[in-house]
Amino acid sequence: MPEHTGETRNEQLTRNVGELLQELRVAQAGVQILFGFLLSVVFTDRFHDASGFEKSLHLTAVLLAVAATALLTAPAAWHRLLFRTGSRERILTVGNRFVLVGLVCLALAITVTVGLIAKVVYGPISMIIFAVLSAVIFGVLWFVMPIRMHPGNGDQPTGPPT
């Protein structure tokens, strides 16, 4: 169902780009905090004693955080570079895809980090349990619920809560 706001197409695109950039600020804060934590870990004495598997998990989390950073900041860079070139619609289309992939990378980076912490603190069984639990939480809250809430699925409430 199309959105009827009384805006011109240009006004709607401008608003949508602004909303996309605003949403990215929330995700970027999470990526920055996680990335800072992951970078600081390598400089601890305990990290040098970590197993090869634990170091591989750490590097995987770092690489996922780097990918999330690149994907989640790309639309802001594009907006700056393509400002006033009539590219808003393309920025929105491609930017939306990048944001979704960036959010997946962020969720995976956090999941791997949680698994790594659980492995170091409690062992391999805890790593699996907490990593799966983290992945399920992200999957349900970030992807399953929005898909189920989509108006075309019939699960949308019929009115405001009473």
Side-chain angles (χ1 to χ4, degrees):
M1 176 181 294
E3 184 179 0
H4 299 288
T5 60
E7 302 170 303
T8 66
R9 181 72 177 139
N10 188 49
E11 290 170 338
Q12 185 181 36
L13 288 171
T14 301
R15 179 179 53 80
N16 289 160
V17 168
E19 288 173 358
L20 175 67
L21 296 175
Q22 192 64 11
E23 292 164 359
L24 289 174
R25 287 184 181 97
V26 174
Q28 288 170 351
V31 172
Q32 290 170 342
I33 292 166
L34 176 63
F35 195 62
F37 165 75
L38 290 169
L39 291 178
S40 67
V41 167
V42 236
F43 299 105
T44 65
D45 291 333
R46 187 157 182 185
F47 182 79
H48 297 289
D49 298 332
S51 70
F53 177 70
E54 292 165 347
K55 288 179 180 177
S56 295
L57 282 178
H58 179 267
L59 183 58
T60 299
V62 168
L63 293 174
L64 285 165
V66 167
T69 300
L71 289 161
L72 293 172
T73 57
W78 300 343
H79 182 257
R80 273 299 101 209
L81 291 169
L82 301 172
F83 186 64
R84 293 188 181 162
T85 64
S87 302
R88 286 187 186 107
E89 190 161 3
R90 188 80 176 129
I91 291 169
L92 281 169
T93 301
V94 179
N96 185 61
R97 291 182 192 131
F98 270 53
V99 169
L100 291 173
V101 175
L103 288 173
V104 169
C105 288
L106 175 58
L108 290 173
I110 293 171
T111 297
V112 171
T113 302
V114 167
L116 174 60
I117 292 169
K119 162 83 171 60
V120 170
V121 176
Y122 297 111
I125 293 173
S126 293
M127 174 190 73
I128 293 168
I129 291 169
F130 285 107
V132 168
L133 183 61
S134 295
V136 167
I137 290 169
F138 281 113
V140 168
L141 293 177
W142 285 11
F143 300 102
V144 173
M145 285 185 69
I147 289 169
R148 292 200 49 154
M149 291 169 53
H150 190 276
N153 290 337
D155 289 345
Q156 186 171 333
T158 56
T162 55

